[in-house]
Amino acid sequence: MLSSLQTRGGPYASTAAGMGGVPTIIPDVPICAVFLALYITFAATNMTILQKNRRRRHKFVMSGMLFGFCMARITTLVLRIAWANRPHNIRLAIAAGILVNAGVLLAYIINFILAQRILRSKQPHIGWHPIMRQGSKLLYVLILGALVMVITATVVSFYTLDQYTRSQCRDVQLAAMTYFLVFTCLPLVQVMIAFILPRSPREESFGQGGPTSKAAIVTLSSCLCILIAGFKAGANWSPPRPVTNPSWFDSKACFYVFNFMLEIMILCLLTFSRFDRRFHIPNGSTQPGDYSRPVLHRDSENDQSQLHEWKESNFAQS
């Protein structure tokens, strides 16, 4: 059997225990079905919010990102249900494992953007600084690169029996997981800078609600993301255990709690708090002062009047 697999060149079943283990009909399929229904509900809700906002010229792309996050998780759960029905299909296992790590990155990025808006409103001279702007772009490139690293290393590790190659793939995965954890901590750093430093005379307001409520939403959402990323990083950094003797963090309970349950909590927090209203900024904001620019709605005549008054006010202040 082994010689046949070697001739084909894989994929080969992993000999190390993984998070959640191999799914089975009971209990995995019923649990996945419940989470599947929840993600479908949130996908429909956020798409509805996105379309309603679009019709009234209230652009908020992150509602679309939450929809994409939900769709990625729907695909993940469908693959896991399929894997439970075909437990020896290694290709299904590879696809399901990749999507478990990939889907949540959208939530990490959303938290970073929300925290960035708080920083730019509270401390415009820092938030809009060229170094911060270019640094943010670099972080996005790195998280995309880390995702590519995880996918590549995961696939390669299933298609080789060479222990050195598998060891190198594991090192790549650890580096990427560690970066994901660091990235999830950055929103908290931005919020702390925004509130700890002395109040800026150029402070701006944006969206609905006060800065404290916005900071509370970002902080709680970031803490949940840190818990998810921290658990994954800790589990991966632990010495590999044989598939016949998994550790406690490889259990199905930990898998569903530290992945899907915490993600549902993030979706509840962002969706039900109407973050599309609280964190909305005028379209085309690219510099200090743009957050105070009037938001254009359907009444174009009134919009132009407000925009003209705002420009005159800014010109007088300068």
Side-chain angles (χ1 to χ4, degrees):
M1 180 66 178
L2 181 60
S3 60
S4 174
L5 288 174
Q6 288 175 335
T7 302
R8 290 186 301 169
Y12 310 107
S14 175
T15 57
M19 288 179 58
V22 178
T24 54
I25 301 295
I26 301 295
D28 290 87
V29 172
I31 295 174
C32 288
V34 172
F35 280 114
L36 190 60
L38 290 172
Y39 281 112
I40 290 174
T41 301
F42 277 107
T45 301
N46 281 283
M47 178 51 68
T48 301
I49 292 173
L50 178 68
Q51 293 303 321
K52 285 186 175 180
N53 285 335
R54 184 184 62 82
R55 283 195 291 270
R56 62 190 186 91
R57 298 174 64 183
H58 180 99
K59 184 179 179 181
F60 194 78
V61 178
M62 280 176 282
S63 290
M65 292 175 67
L66 276 190
F67 171 78
F69 169 48
C70 292
M71 293 305 295
R73 277 298 176 247
I74 290 169
T75 306
T76 303
L77 290 165
V78 168
L79 285 174
R80 190 163 179 83
I81 291 173
W83 183 17
N85 286 275
R86 294 173 174 78
H88 301 295
N89 191 318
I90 302 175
R91 288 181 174 83
L92 277 177
I94 296 172
I98 288 173
L99 282 176
V100 166
N101 292 318
V104 73
L105 295 186
L106 285 173
Y108 299 168
I109 294 172
I110 287 173
N111 282 333
F112 185 86
I113 295 173
L114 298 181
Q116 187 179 59
R117 292 185 178 182
I118 293 176
L119 178 61
R120 286 176 172 176
S121 68
K122 298 284 290 183
Q123 307 290 341
H125 59 290
I126 297 177
W128 289 106
H129 195 279
I131 293 179
M132 293 291 290
R133 298 178 69 170
Q134 297 304 319
S136 299
K137 294 177 181 178
L138 176 61
L139 291 171
Y140 294 141
V141 171
L142 289 176
I143 201 168
L144 178 62
L147 174 60
V148 173
M149 288 166 57
V150 167
I151 294 174
T152 304
T154 301
V155 173
V156 170
S157 66
F158 276 97
Y159 279 85
T160 181
L161 294 175
D162 183 75
Q163 293 304 312
Y164 177 76
T165 302
R166 286 189 168 184
S167 175
Q168 295 297 305
C169 289
R170 183 171 183 272
D171 291 342
V172 170
Q173 291 172 321
L174 291 178
M177 290 292 182
T178 303
Y179 176 70
F180 292 157
L181 177 57
V182 172
F183 188 86
T184 59
C185 297
L186 296 180
L188 294 183
V189 175
Q190 293 187 86
V191 172
M192 288 177 60
I193 294 174
F195 282 87
I196 289 178
L197 294 181
R199 184 172 181 176
S200 171
R202 302 173 64 189
E203 181 178 336
E204 300 179 74
S205 61
F206 67 97
Q208 297 179 1
T212 304
S213 62
K214 293 183 178 72
I217 291 170
V218 174
T219 299
L220 182 54
S221 180
S222 297
C223 287
L224 291 173
C225 285
I226 290 171
L227 192 55
I228 295 171
F231 178 81
K232 289 180 179 179
N236 280 275
W237 272 100
S238 300
R241 301 279 292 267
V243 70
T244 55
N245 183 31
S247 182
W248 65 270
F249 48 75
D250 293 319
S251 66
K252 295 182 187 295
C254 288
F255 175 77
Y256 288 110
V257 168
F258 286 95
N259 283 287
F260 306 120
M261 184 174 290
L262 293 180
E263 290 175 3
I264 292 296
M265 292 174 65
I266 294 171
L267 285 169
C268 287
L269 176 64
L270 296 179
T271 304
F272 295 144
S273 68
R274 293 308 303 266
F275 82 126
D276 60 300
R277 296 176 179 174
R278 292 178 182 272
F279 291 91
H280 179 256
I281 59 173
N283 190 27
S285 297
T286 57
Q287 60 186 352
D290 281 354
Y291 284 7
S292 301
R293 177 159 47 87
V295 179
L296 303 183
H297 296 293
R298 287 191 174 184
D299 188 352
S300 60
E301 216 173 278
N302 186 48
D303 287 343
Q304 295 303 324
S305 175
Q306 290 182 6
L307 188 59
H308 181 68
E309 290 176 5
W310 175 78
K311 288 180 178 179
E312 285 186 344
S313 174
N314 273 13
F315 180 75
Q317 290 176 6
S318 60

